[in-house]
Amino acid sequence: MSKEDNKENGAQSVSRRDFLRKAGTYSAASLSGAAMLLSNPKPAQATTNVEWAEHFQKNYRLMTEEEKQEALDRLEKRYSEEFGKEVTVDGSPAMDGVLFGYALNIQKCIGCRRCAKACVAENNQSRGDEQQIEWIRVLRLEKGQFSADDRDNAGYPGDYGIQVGGNAYKPAGVVLEGQHYYEAEQVPEKDAFYMPMQCMQCEKPPCVKVCPVQTTYRDPDGIVVIDYNWCIGCRMCIGACPYWARRFNWGEPSLPAEEMNPVTHYLGNRPRMKGVAEKCTFCVQRTRKGRWTACVEVCPVGARKLGNLLDPESDVRKVLETKKVFRLRADLNTYPKFFYFMD
Amino acid sequence: MKRFLQFAIDFIRAGFTGGLMFWAWMLFLSFFIMLWGYGEFVQIRDGMIVTNLTDQVSWGLYLANFVFMVGVAAAAVTVVFPAYVYKHHELHKIVVLGEMLAIAAVIMCLLFVTAHMGRPDRIWHIIPVIGIYNWPNAMLTWDVLVLTGYLILNLVGGFYFLFKKYTDQPLNKSFYIPLIFIAIVWALSIHTVTAFLINTMPARPMWHHSIMPIKFITTAFAAGPSLIIIVFMLVRKFTPLKIADEAFHMLSQIVTWCLGIALFLVLSEIVTELYPSTEHTAGLKYLMFGHNGLNMLVPFFWTAIALMVGSFILLLIPRIRKNMTILPFLCVGVFVGIWIDKGMGLMLPGVIPTPIGEFAEYSPSMIEMMIILGVWAIGLFILTVLIKGAVGVLLGDVSYGGKSDAAAT
Ligand code: SF4
Ligand code: SF4
């Protein structure tokens, strides 16, 4: 899903944009940038210079305000050139008095996956045959059922009784054991229910703890962010995340210019490069401007709620007070700020 | 200073002198090193997509080899420890060869990590002062720290010894002995930290148990000395350096007992996991029996077990253990068995299934194979040169103003 070898499609048309992107990549990756600088045609020169500057910048969190601004301007210029449209790169910090929380009504979710698609469009994930990245995963869980057939045929667990719901080969109703490749003709399916998952913005995020270079960190509004320019691609965070929320850019992301969302945030949906980790950031580019996330906006049944956990009037707080709420894998003490609830 | 320069030149010259066999061997290794260069080039150009790693299985054979090699590096202690603590006379004479092995192994570790990283061009981010360090939180930073420290300790210790020998000066005991003892403790630390690196992640239940560090150490102290025995045998065969049988007896005993303990720990782990057989056992069950037809690792697992158990039983018999013709084969068995067990048998099922219960198979791509073989070739290349140089010094062929020129011709 994240990548499929489809090398026939690798015969790209060498448009100017492609060429620019490649030029930048080579220079960054091979440290032979000096040669590229000389051999590149004029228009690419600026881009390559920008790539070089990016290469030596500091960890975003340690930059002074000025340096941050420089970095943002640099990126705006480069992306605008690369994608042929006016791209803004925002750097707004966390707002005071805000701690973002999320609540999802699993009773309502119909498994249509519109959230996942809206997320890809909003957050500039890589798409195409070589590499598709989705931050939201909708698990399809089978409804539990007793069936004599299953029990007999599977022959498990022996003579000693029955397993509640499904059998050894058909997990049912077991949290985190659904599958997310379903292609339903019509949703919701009769025999299934759905559980979307994404980054839970843990209060005690293991991904942050294991990152050797502090690329990923928790901002004061509770959103765990990644400085893509600082990530060394070691994938420790992917190993440590109990929710399998992180994705890796195995190859150069493919992001068609016409589909690119030009309203970006440095720590959020700006175009990524190959070899870095990424994940949901509660649409930091939107939420820090007081907007809903794309998934909240698009959900047709209103199963998704976002809000400020510090504000008693917010949707999420109301949910927490009045509904039956649970969190995934509470045993791991990561304190997710993503809650599931039922009416 | 001038003397030191002369030492470096003589050492390298001795390292690169040899007969036809030697050059054939080096040429053979160079071929794989070229493949490594090509593999790295492609991987850096196109990204990690050229590997068969996926979001599901995001850690693969690079890290598996890394973990294994850290063990081999740490195992130099099995030569140093008896030599200095138990004053084992025969081992004492060749301690420095163990240190050379450790140097080569650590260099391999660093190369494997670099291959594993998605952005090796950003490696400077992890260097203290110019980058930033998530210290003391991140285990990987600890690992970098202890590995570099270990490399330096062995470089300093090993070459100090050789240099003194080269110039025929007495060792400064109050400098050298503490160094050796620090290195002994340090060696344990490198493998312990590597174990911590993966067992501190509750998201991966198969790794999340506290037997891991001790299991790492025991398997390392079985695999490492096995390799050392083989290397020493080759040294004995191809150079005039005499290594007494006692040295081998000592090492093969260490292999036997560490292997025994390792097997016991494997057993404990299997019973603990399989008896209750909860959801958390998925990884181990996948390794041992496969999962719904996904059973790529199953033959490897049983091969590893067979190799380890078989070698252990044979090694238990003193007559066989002391037989210098059979011993190397047993050592190869142990080495390969543990490599499989600790590489594929640990790294892959640790990340299969994923935290959301998805099973995905992984087998390395051509590029990955090239890089892995290449790193091994680089390691062996370095090891050959280091050992040859060191043996030259030990024999007195390479010495200051001495017969070094004669040796070179
Ligand atoms: S869900 Fe995973 S990626 Fe998100 S904060 Fe928690 S550990 Fe990190
Ligand atoms: S992949 Fe990037 S974000 Fe993840 S742990 Fe490594 S450096 Fe940190």
Side-chain angles (χ1 to χ4, degrees):
Chain A
M1 149 235 35
S2 66
K3 95 173 194 195
E4 277 168 41
D5 278 310
N6 195 346
K7 296 277 153 66
E8 297 98 88
N9 289 37
Q12 310 98 337
S13 59
V14 185
S15 67
R16 194 178 86 97
R17 192 186 69 245
D18 269 338
F19 178 67
L20 287 181
R21 188 153 0 133
K22 287 246 169 55
T25 316
Y26 287 153
S27 69
S30 63
L31 293 180
S32 64
M36 293 302 299
L37 267 178
L38 298 175
S39 61
N40 269 352
K42 261 263 148 62
Q45 191 111 2
T47 310
T48 317
N49 282 338
V50 171
E51 281 265 0
W52 267 102
E54 272 180 59
H55 209 60
F56 292 105
Q57 78 189 27
K58 273 198 275 183
N59 184 306
Y60 187 69
R61 206 164 26 153
L62 302 181
M63 289 183 194
T64 61
E65 284 310 315
E66 270 164 50
E67 283 169 330
K68 277 186 185 165
Q69 199 51 53
E70 270 173 35
L72 297 176
D73 292 344
R74 227 172 16 225
L75 285 174
E76 282 186 353
K77 201 165 133 228
R78 175 157 77 82
Y79 293 146
S80 300
E81 199 174 320
E82 219 172 282
F83 293 95
K85 54 175 136 184
E86 192 70 18
V87 177
T88 56
V89 183
D90 182 26
S92 355
M95 292 178 278
D96 274 344
V98 177
L99 184 67
F100 285 110
Y102 207 110
L104 194 148
N105 190 337
I106 50 166
Q107 220 166 357
K108 276 196 178 153
C109 173
I110 53 168
C112 64
R113 299 191 71 252
R114 274 186 211 147
C115 48
K117 297 201 183 94
C119 176
V120 171
E122 165 71 25
N123 288 300
N124 289 325
Q125 277 101 318
S126 172
R127 54 208 82 172
D129 294 328
E130 274 237 319
Q131 171 175 260
Q132 293 176 21
I133 295 182
E134 282 179 0
W135 291 349
I136 300 182
R137 216 134 288 283
V138 182
L139 296 196
R140 176 188 188 276
L141 307 174
E142 254 170 66
K143 284 184 180 159
Q145 41 183 247
F146 288 98
S147 147
D149 279 356
D150 284 351
R151 192 188 62 192
D152 293 345
N153 296 340
Y156 180 86
D159 305 328
Y160 302 111
I162 46 168
Q163 187 185 14
V164 177
N167 59 49
Y169 301 97
K170 255 200 202 167
V174 184
V175 174
L176 305 190
E177 265 224 345
Q179 62 113 340
H180 52 90
Y181 303 110
Y182 66 93
E183 276 176 26
E185 265 174 23
Q186 208 181 1
V187 287
E189 296 151 286
K190 256 207 327 295
D191 53 349
F193 58 95
Y194 305 91
M195 187 163 72
M197 286 177 77
Q198 61 208 65
C199 172
M200 310 261 155
Q201 319 296 351
C202 307
E203 271 301 280
K204 266 176 64 188
C207 59
V208 168
K209 196 167 191 175
V210 299
C211 179
V213 287
Q214 303 188 21
T215 298
T216 181
Y217 57 93
R218 181 189 172 284
D219 253 356
D221 55 4
I223 297 182
V224 175
V225 291
I226 304 171
D227 177 359
Y228 308 117
N229 269 71
W230 192 260
C231 172
I232 60 172
C234 62
R235 311 194 282 289
M236 284 299 291
C237 53
I238 299 184
C241 172
Y243 306 97
W244 202 52
R246 289 194 169 226
R247 299 283 162 270
F248 192 69
N249 285 284
W250 297 98
E252 190 63 35
S254 71
L255 176 59
E258 57 286 359
E259 290 175 29
M260 189 248 175
N261 173 12
V263 184
T264 72
H265 191 286
Y266 183 91
L267 299 167
N269 62 339
R270 72 184 167 103
R272 271 77 65 183
M273 54 294 267
K274 68 171 187 274
V276 303
E278 61 178 63
K279 66 169 189 67
C280 157
T281 59
F282 281 176
C283 287
V284 55
Q285 68 280 3
R286 287 167 157 248
T287 45
R288 283 191 183 165
K289 300 266 191 261
R291 294 179 63 196
W292 298 127
T293 63
C295 50
V296 166
E297 247 176 40
V298 81
C299 181
V301 290
R304 291 172 169 265
K305 308 273 178 238
L306 175 81
N308 180 0
L309 288 169
L310 304 178
D311 172 11
E313 293 305 309
S314 69
D315 287 356
V316 176
R317 277 289 287 273
K318 296 223 172 93
V319 167
L320 294 185
E321 267 154 41
T322 57
K323 309 286 181 182
K324 297 173 196 149
V325 175
F326 69 95
R327 306 199 250 201
L328 288 186
R329 296 209 156 173
D331 56 321
L332 297 183
N333 258 9
T334 56
Y335 299 99
K337 285 195 296 297
F338 194 100
F339 304 89
Y340 294 87
F341 70 100
M342 288 160 276
D343 289 317
Chain B
M1 193 61 227
K2 204 183 121 240
R3 259 191 299 179
F4 196 76
L5 220 77
Q6 189 60 41
F7 168 62
I9 293 169
D10 284 349
F11 187 87
I12 291 172
R13 203 190 294 166
F16 280 102
T17 17
L20 203 62
M21 270 279 277
F22 168 76
W23 287 111
W25 167 243
M26 292 312 241
L27 209 65
F28 173 73
L29 292 179
S30 306
F31 171 72
F32 286 102
I33 296 176
M34 261 159 50
L35 287 187
W36 170 83
Y38 175 74
E40 279 284 358
F41 166 74
V42 172
Q43 185 174 305
I44 289 175
R45 189 189 61 192
D46 297 345
M48 299 299 287
I49 201 159
V50 297
T51 66
N52 272 350
L53 294 167
T54 54
D55 279 343
Q56 282 83 357
V57 186
S58 69
W59 291 5
L61 278 199
Y62 293 148
L63 269 199
N65 276 288
F66 162 76
V67 165
F68 181 77
M69 279 329 283
V70 177
V72 173
V77 163
T78 55
V79 184
V80 183
F81 191 78
Y84 282 92
V85 179
Y86 290 116
K87 312 255 183 283
H88 193 283
H89 189 63
E90 290 304 326
L91 282 176
H92 199 166
K93 287 196 279 189
I94 45 175
V95 143
V96 76
L97 299 187
E99 285 167 334
M100 296 295 122
L101 181 84
I103 294 171
V106 176
I107 294 176
M108 284 172 72
C109 290
L110 297 176
L111 287 174
F112 278 127
V113 172
T114 319
H116 169 80
M117 277 193 357
R119 294 297 302 239
D121 52 316
R122 292 181 179 168
I123 208 159
W124 63 276
H125 292 180
I126 207 172
I127 299 171
V129 187
I130 59 168
I132 52 169
Y133 222 39
N134 189 6
W135 196 80
N137 265 334
M139 281 297 157
L140 195 61
T141 55
W142 279 90
D143 219 23
V144 172
L145 207 70
V146 288
L147 273 178
T148 342
Y150 189 64
L151 182 60
I152 294 171
L153 278 174
N154 275 292
L155 281 172
V156 172
F159 283 100
Y160 174 74
F161 179 87
L162 288 175
F163 181 59
K164 286 291 170 188
K165 185 103 190 163
Y166 172 77
T167 50
D168 207 17
Q169 286 170 326
L171 289 172
N172 179 355
K173 283 262 158 68
S174 52
F175 167 73
Y176 186 65
I177 297 296
L179 195 74
I180 288 288
F181 281 91
I182 292 174
I184 288 175
V185 180
W186 204 283
L188 293 180
S189 84
I190 63 171
H191 214 32
T192 309
V193 173
T194 319
F196 288 159
L197 182 75
I198 66 173
N199 89 340
T200 47
M201 297 196 294
R204 308 289 177 173
M206 187 179 146
W207 293 338
H208 187 54
H209 58 76
S210 44
I211 253 184
M212 191 77 91
I214 182 69
K215 198 176 144 199
F216 263 42
I217 299 276
T218 52
T219 46
F221 286 4
S226 302
L227 179 66
I228 294 176
I229 289 178
I230 298 170
V231 171
F232 282 4
M233 288 213 161
L234 292 173
V235 168
R236 189 159 80 163
K237 183 143 187 261
F238 289 111
T239 70
L241 188 72
K242 288 196 189 52
I243 302 176
D245 280 356
E246 273 90 86
F248 291 103
H249 296 335
M250 182 76 207
L251 287 171
S252 63
Q253 270 183 42
I254 295 177
V255 172
T256 314
W257 296 119
C258 287
L259 185 61
I261 301 172
L263 283 171
F264 175 72
L265 294 175
V266 171
L267 181 77
S268 318
E269 195 186 334
I270 290 179
V271 174
T272 316
E273 292 264 316
L274 284 198
Y275 182 79
S277 197
T278 61
E279 284 283 297
H280 288 179
T281 320
L284 189 67
K285 275 204 228 158
Y286 164 70
L287 173 66
M288 295 178 71
F289 311 115
H291 178 87
N292 281 357
L294 300 179
N295 44 19
M296 208 182 65
L297 290 183
V298 177
F300 286 106
F301 173 78
W302 294 106
T303 315
I305 291 285
L307 282 172
M308 290 196 291
V309 173
S311 315
F312 177 61
I313 293 173
L314 291 177
L315 280 169
L316 273 181
I317 307 165
R319 225 165 20 122
I320 298 184
R321 188 172 67 228
K322 293 198 169 144
N323 184 326
M324 289 296 148
T325 3
I326 303 180
L327 186 61
F329 292 101
L330 294 181
C331 287
V332 172
V334 174
F335 191 76
V336 174
I338 290 179
W339 182 80
I340 297 175
D341 178 60
K342 221 171 173 178
M344 276 180 276
L346 182 82
M347 202 43 79
L348 301 184
V351 293
I352 306 172
T354 65
I356 62 170
E358 192 181 343
F359 286 80
E361 296 239 281
Y362 153 83
S363 51
S365 67
M366 277 310 285
I367 296 283
E368 275 175 287
M369 292 310 293
M370 279 184 195
I371 294 180
I372 289 167
L373 287 175
V375 174
W376 277 92
I378 295 176
L380 290 175
F381 193 98
I382 295 175
L383 184 67
T384 313
V385 173
L386 289 179
I387 293 267
K388 278 191 62 87
V391 167
V393 175
L394 286 183
L395 286 174
D397 288 347
V398 182
S399 63
Y400 188 56
K403 293 176 277 175
S404 58
D405 292 328
T409 45

